[in-house]
Amino acid sequence: MAEVLRAGASDALPRRAVWLLAVAFTALNLRPFLTAIGPLSGPIQAGTGLDLSAMAWLTLLPMGLMGVGAWCSPAVLRRWGARSTVAGALMVLALGCLLRWAGLEGGVLIASAAVCGAGVALVQGALPGIVKRELPGQVAPVMGLYSAALMGGGALGAQFSPWAVQQGAQWTAVLAAWALPAALAAWAMARVLPWARPALAAAAAAAAAAEGTGWLLRRPRTWWLMACFGLVNGGYASAVAWLAPYYQAQGWGAAASGGLVALMAVAQAAAALLLPWLAARGVDRRPWIWLTLAAQAAGFAGLAMAPGAAPAAWAALLGAGLGGCFALTLVLALDHLPDPAQAGALGALMQGGGFVLAGLAPWVVARLHGATGGFAAGWWAHLACIALVALAVAQFAPWRYALAMRAPRPA
């Protein structure tokens, strides 16, 4: 990574290629802190004494903070600029991972999840708008690359962490080790993102402050996007938190159940990379989103009705549906507005409200588990959410974007 960035700095490689590599490496770091938890739920519960409801906070809290932080990201970007915001947020993520070295204290482990979630929130809220600014004509494929790298990082976290524990490593040390690549990503983004020139930064901040994002919150379309993003990513949050424990309760080991989570994440990455590229051939994203919702429905139905019949197929279908829908929904939000700053703000608001809603899903599934004695009720609940999203997506016709998001009239 260092050699490539040095080459980019000396113009040996095109700046765009170096920038894309840094974005992909950054995205790889945004999910391992979440996906490593489920496969290691056994040793974590044994070491900390946390029950299922408390374990749910390890996903609920960072997802909720991802939402709140995404709302804050436009203001942080205006105040500090892209370079300081993204690199600083990645260092916060690294700090949160490092705190897990003391994770035998349950309270410290939960606090570390909050710190990680805050760092990831600012990165996720900032990058879509930066992508639209840097590559305005290639938003769909670049967001596909970003989403694929994000999901690929989830696969690494789910597969590597239980493997390292099987080799004799302490689970707290394994979770803390993810601080190193996060710190390297912070260094990479500091190298490729330019410092904002004070005069330009001040002018941009003044213009953005004058307009604000309040008008976006007065658009029903913003809230519909939040709801759809939240309901879909609630399925991701629940799968990350409970897919491995679901199969461990049926006799699977940590590595095997972690392999299912990794398979789901690989399928997510493949779909996130491929589907935006295919969808870029037209302007209407809805048929592709419906396809991803159908894949999610098949995965959740399989988990609920026949978990032992084809667990790899259910995980792959679920992953493909979740990954493709995540990437396409980000593209859909950016499609609504031609101005990169406004589109980035809409994407941040969508992610903000969406992640707050998604963060509740693991807790709801844990409560349903307590009431029914199993996870099947939670999978059925996600099937109902998919049906609601499929109905809501019908209104996202591209020829209605301008009407749905028309800017406020001057006073």
Side-chain angles (χ1 to χ4, degrees), residues 68-397:
V68 175
W71 278 330
C72 298
S73 62
V76 176
L77 277 170
R78 291 195 299 269
R79 176 66 179 84
W80 297 104
R83 185 179 190 181
S84 296
T85 297
V86 175
L90 286 166
M91 288 305 299
V92 171
L93 171 60
L95 174 63
C97 293
L98 198 59
L99 282 174
R100 293 184 158 183
W101 205 293
L104 286 174
E105 292 291 333
V108 173
L109 188 61
I110 292 174
S112 75
V115 176
C116 289
V120 168
L122 289 175
V123 178
Q124 291 183 159
L127 274 182
I130 295 171
V131 166
K132 181 149 186 167
R133 184 191 69 199
E134 294 285 332
L135 298 170
Q138 299 177 347
V139 170
V142 176
M143 290 311 299
L145 173 66
Y146 162 77
S147 301
L150 188 148
M151 306 306 176
L156 285 175
Q159 190 68 63
F160 172 79
S161 300
W163 174 85
V165 170
Q166 271 196 337
Q167 304 309 305
Q170 174 71 23
W171 64 264
T172 53
V174 171
L175 294 180
W178 293 105
L180 178 58
L184 288 174
W187 172 80
M189 293 306 287
R191 290 291 301 271
V192 301
L193 287 173
W195 288 110
R197 284 186 284 176
L200 293 178
E211 183 178 76
T213 57
W215 71 276
L216 291 173
L217 292 173
R218 293 192 292 273
R219 299 293 177 269
R221 177 59 55 86
T222 303
W223 294 94
W224 278 110
L225 288 168
M226 284 184 196
C228 291
F229 190 84
L231 291 174
V232 168
N233 281 280
Y236 171 76
S238 290
V240 164
W242 304 128
L243 182 61
Y246 180 48
Y247 278 97
Q248 287 173 14
Q250 299 176 45
W252 290 47
S257 61
L260 272 186
V261 179
L263 174 62
M264 180 186 77
V266 169
Q268 283 179 292
L273 185 62
L274 178 63
L275 289 182
W277 178 74
L278 293 173
R281 301 178 180 184
V283 295
D284 193 348
R285 318 297 182 189
R286 293 176 301 168
W288 298 101
I289 293 176
W290 280 320
L291 176 64
T292 66
L293 293 172
Q296 291 175 52
F300 277 124
L303 290 176
M305 294 188 294
W314 309 145
L317 280 167
L318 187 57
L322 290 168
C325 198
F326 178 87
L328 289 169
T329 308
L330 288 177
V331 173
L332 179 72
L334 295 175
D335 283 346
H336 272 72
L337 292 161
D339 179 73
Q342 291 181 343
L346 177 61
L349 288 172
M350 179 189 74
Q351 291 184 76
F355 278 124
V356 169
L357 179 59
L360 296 173
W363 180 82
V364 170
V365 173
R367 301 297 293 178
L368 289 171
H369 182 282
T372 64
F375 286 105
W379 308 143
W380 285 116
H382 282 299
L383 271 168
C385 292
I386 290 167
L388 291 175
V389 173
L391 291 173
V393 165
Q395 68 180 306
F396 297 151

